[in-house]
Amino acid sequence: MGETIIINVGRQLGSGGHDIGRMLAMDFNAKYYDREILNLAAKESGFSAEYFEQNDERHGFLKSLFHTHAPHISDNNFYQSNFSQEALFKFQSDAIRKEARQGSCVFVGRCADYVLRDFPNVVNVFVTASMKFRIESVVNKLGVLPEEARKIIENGERRRADYYSYYTGKKWGAATSYDLCIDASVLGLQATEKFIADFVRKRFDK
């Protein structure tokens, strides 16, 4: 294809979206960004990466932060910096756009589909999976009981959906927001990645 390609991967918690994103990046010789974008945003902003970690796909954590001492930022800087959750989102979005301008990328989460909505050659994918598949994934990864895994999934997805809706005005996971929605528990992660990669190639071969 020879063109810059941007693939944005939205994903349900435990669906394997991270692994699929990494495989897509290898397939298309693209840079992979998940939590890595938080460090880039921190460098661009001059703020500690800790703030971006705390804010990662969450909306509302700053309410409690204002009532505690903020490490790594002096009190004067903290209140003079126009520091807000929206500012954090802007730094992160600027970092995403900067990387997207430099070459092919795969972004996982972080509202990248919305942030890059005006960029050419963008494919937005949403990876889902059955609850059974996702619970097993979280159990294997974190070593928790299935009941705890379900709670982690439900709470995490509630935060993720609130975050996405707040910044995009769209419903997280709604099919109309994506070019392709796919259930990774049907084919498995590797076959799902190949299906998505084939979709992307056909999309840009037109």
Side-chain angles (χ1 to χ4, degrees):
M1 289 173 283
E3 302 178 280
T4 293
I5 292 174
I6 307 298
I7 304 173
N8 299 314
V9 181
R11 75 286 182 224
Q12 285 189 307
L13 205 156
S15 67
H18 298 274
D19 294 330
I20 289 170
R22 288 189 186 93
M23 288 188 278
L24 285 167
M26 292 179 64
D27 223 342
F28 289 95
N29 193 28
K31 291 183 178 179
Y32 172 83
Y33 293 104
D34 185 353
R35 300 183 74 84
E36 293 86 352
I37 207 68
L38 305 179
N39 291 328
L40 290 174
K43 289 178 183 177
E44 291 291 319
S45 68
F47 288 117
S48 166
E50 177 182 349
Y51 291 105
F52 291 90
E53 289 284 346
Q54 290 175 326
N55 186 44
D56 189 21
E57 294 189 304
R58 299 182 184 212
H59 174 60
F61 92 98
L62 275 172
K63 292 177 182 177
S64 61
L65 191 60
F66 274 107
H67 299 291
T68 61
H69 178 68
H72 310 309
I73 297 180
S74 71
D75 291 338
N76 286 338
N77 273 345
F78 183 74
Y79 291 109
Q80 292 174 2
S81 65
N82 193 27
F83 187 68
S84 68
Q85 190 159 19
E86 283 70 23
L88 287 180
F89 182 77
K90 182 181 184 302
F91 287 130
Q92 181 174 275
S93 299
D94 288 346
I96 289 171
R97 282 188 286 264
K98 181 178 179 180
E99 295 306 307
R101 291 188 188 101
Q102 294 179 1
S104 295
C105 298
V106 174
F107 295 100
V108 176
R110 281 83 201 170
C111 300
D113 58 316
Y114 177 76
V115 172
L116 300 175
R117 62 194 181 280
D118 296 326
F119 275 59
N121 299 334
V122 172
V123 177
N124 298 318
V125 177
F126 192 82
V127 179
T128 184
S130 68
M131 180 58 81
K132 180 176 181 292
F133 181 96
R134 291 188 286 146
I135 288 175
E136 289 176 356
S137 176
V138 173
V139 166
N140 291 333
K141 184 176 182 180
L142 301 181
V144 297
L145 295 173
E147 298 79 15
E148 182 64 21
R150 181 183 289 273
K151 289 179 183 178
I152 290 170
I153 290 169
E154 291 173 349
N155 292 336
E157 292 198 340
R158 192 176 301 113
R159 289 193 301 266
R160 192 173 286 177
D162 288 346
Y163 178 89
Y164 185 86
S165 175
Y166 180 82
Y167 286 109
T168 70
K170 300 190 296 179
K171 185 178 180 180
W172 178 75
T176 52
S177 297
Y178 308 93
D179 301 303
L180 175 67
C181 297
I182 189 164
D183 185 334
S185 59
V186 174
L187 299 177
L189 300 189
Q190 291 187 332
T192 297
E193 187 276 335
K194 292 185 184 304
F195 188 98
I196 296 171
D198 188 50
F199 176 87
V200 172
R201 291 187 181 98
K202 288 180 178 178
R203 165 82 179 269
F204 291 119
D205 279 345
K206 289 183 179 181

